[in-house]
Amino acid sequence: MAVMLDHTPLRREGEPSEIASALGFLLSDAASYITGIDLRVDGGTVANLPRMKNALS
């Protein structure tokens, strides 16, 4: 986990409230026209996987 956090742009784990806020939005009327989306609430971790892999090799 420490290696992953070192390569995450926000350099920290997400807070439960941050996940809940995203879910709250998707369940709200404000998101009524959203369908079939991958909403990554990961602090940029997935976007930086190639960089992390390069750093570890």
Side-chain angles (χ1 to χ4, degrees):
M1 186 58 128
V3 171
M4 188 177 287
L5 290 176
D6 285 344
H7 292 90
T8 297
L10 295 182
R11 302 214 186 272
R12 64 178 179 82
E13 293 182 22
E15 297 292 327
S17 63
E18 293 169 314
I19 307 302
S21 294
L23 289 174
F25 167 70
L26 290 173
L27 293 170
S28 75
D29 289 339
S32 65
Y33 203 66
I34 294 176
T35 60
I37 185 172
D38 291 333
L39 178 62
R40 297 183 192 270
V41 186
D42 68 354
T45 302
V46 171
N48 278 315
L49 281 179
R51 187 177 127 209
M52 181 177 71
K53 288 177 184 178
N54 287 336
L56 295 176
S57 61

